[in-house]
Amino acid sequence: MDVKIENSWKEILSEEFEKKYFKQLALFLKKEYEEKKIYPPGKYIFNAFKNCSINDLKVVIIGQDPYHGYNQANGLCFSVNNGVKKPPSLINIFKELKSDLNLDIPESGNLERWSKQGILMLNSILTVEKENPGSHKNQGWEQFTDLVIEKIINLKTNIVFILWGAYAQKKGERIDRNKHLVLESAHPSPLSASRGFFNQKHFSKCNEYLNRYNKQKIIW
C-alpha cells in the first residue's frame, strides 16, 4: 500500500501498511471521506510526520484525536490552522508557556513551527468526523500510533515525551524512563488544567534535557 508519509517514517513503518488492520482502516477512511465531512483533510492525515523525520526527532507530544470543528485540524495535535480561534486547551498551553519561559502568547495557534524543530505532534487517532469527537476510535489508528511510539522507544535515545492527561500517559506506559525523559501532567483542557497542568514547567525542563545531551533546544 502506497501511503503518503515522510520517507524516513515510511521506511520503518512500511510493513505496518501491509497488515490486515491497516488495510481495513484505509477502506473505512475511504468510505468516511466519501460520505461525511472528516477532519483533517486527507492530505494532512500524516502531517505530524511531514516536517519531523525520525532522524531529526527530539520531542514527542501525544494527543487524543483531532479537533472536530470547522477548519480547525491540521494534522498536528493541539494545533489549529492559521486564522482559526484558539481552542481552550491550546490557550492554556500558551498560558503555561508564558509562565514558564515568559514568552508572549502567539497570534496563531498553528504549531507547525514546533514540528519543524523535531517535535512529533502525534494524535493517537489521526482522523475524526465533523462535530463527533472520538468517532474514529477503535478503527485501527490506536494500533498504528502505538507502533510509531514503539519504534521511537526502540530506535532512538534521549527523546522527550510530553504526556498531558491520563489518555496520553496510558499511551506512554511502555516508555523506558532510563532511556528517555517523560514529562507528565494533567491535561490542558479547562476541565483539568487547574488540577496539575499549570506550573509544571515542561517547556524549560524539555530544553534543559536536550541541552544536557547536546541537542539544540526548542524555540517555543
Side-chain angles (χ1 to χ4, degrees):
M1 184 180 297
D2 185 24
V3 175
K4 305 298 183 185
I5 193 170
E6 193 274 336
N7 287 335
S8 69
W9 291 103
K10 191 169 190 174
E11 189 173 328
I12 64 169
L13 298 171
S14 57
E15 290 183 7
E16 207 67 9
F17 301 141
E18 300 305 321
K19 291 182 178 178
K20 182 179 179 180
Y21 87 90
F22 197 91
K23 290 181 177 180
Q24 290 175 336
L25 171 62
L27 290 172
F28 166 77
L29 290 174
K30 185 176 186 295
K31 191 170 188 292
E32 288 285 287
Y33 273 93
E34 287 173 351
E35 298 178 357
K36 303 173 185 176
K37 186 63 178 176
I38 305 298
Y39 296 127
K43 64 180 179 180
Y44 293 127
I45 291 175
F46 295 104
N47 203 30
F49 303 88
K50 178 184 174 183
N51 295 311
C52 180
S53 74
I54 192 165
N55 306 312
D56 298 327
L57 181 66
K58 293 186 283 190
V59 181
V60 180
I61 300 177
I62 297 176
Q64 192 159 348
D65 63 348
Y67 294 124
H68 52 84
Y70 173 72
N71 199 35
Q72 287 181 306
N74 62 11
L76 309 177
C77 68
F78 296 105
S79 174
V80 292
N81 285 312
N82 292 323
V84 173
K85 182 181 178 182
K86 301 181 191 76
S89 293
L90 184 54
I91 290 173
N92 283 338
I93 289 169
F94 285 152
K95 284 180 179 177
E96 172 64 6
L97 187 55
K98 182 174 177 61
S99 171
D100 185 3
L101 295 174
N102 196 31
L103 294 176
D104 291 337
I105 293 176
E107 287 186 20
S108 174
N110 191 335
L111 302 179
E112 188 176 27
R113 62 189 179 279
W114 292 5
S115 179
K116 289 179 177 178
Q117 295 179 74
I119 302 180
L120 181 66
M121 308 192 65
L122 183 67
N123 276 315
S124 174
I125 302 161
L126 299 189
T127 53
V128 69
E129 182 184 349
K130 180 183 178 182
E131 307 298 353
N132 191 3
S135 49
H136 284 185
K137 66 182 180 182
N138 300 325
Q139 295 294 337
W141 277 133
E142 295 94 335
Q143 183 174 340
F144 172 71
T145 51
D146 278 348
L147 187 277
V148 171
I149 293 167
E150 185 178 313
K151 290 286 188 183
I152 295 168
I153 293 168
N154 294 332
L155 296 175
K156 304 290 287 186
T157 56
N158 307 131
I159 298 297
V160 181
F161 287 87
I162 298 178
L163 310 179
W164 292 327
Y167 186 92
Q169 288 159 23
K170 184 168 181 59
K171 191 88 172 164
E173 282 178 344
R174 293 170 298 161
I175 299 168
D176 184 348
R177 266 66 170 175
N178 296 313
K179 190 179 178 185
H180 305 285
L181 176 65
V182 178
L183 299 173
E184 298 179 307
S185 75
H187 194 276
S189 162
L191 298 174
S192 57
S194 61
R195 299 198 297 270
F197 174 74
F198 294 118
N199 300 314
Q200 299 301 308
K201 300 189 181 302
H202 283 175
F203 303 103
S204 57
K205 288 176 181 176
C206 172
N207 276 347
E208 287 165 7
Y209 183 84
L210 294 175
N211 184 62
R212 192 184 314 157
Y213 290 97
N214 300 311
K215 296 184 181 184
Q216 190 169 3
K217 68 180 184 180
I218 303 299
I219 301 172
W220 297 102

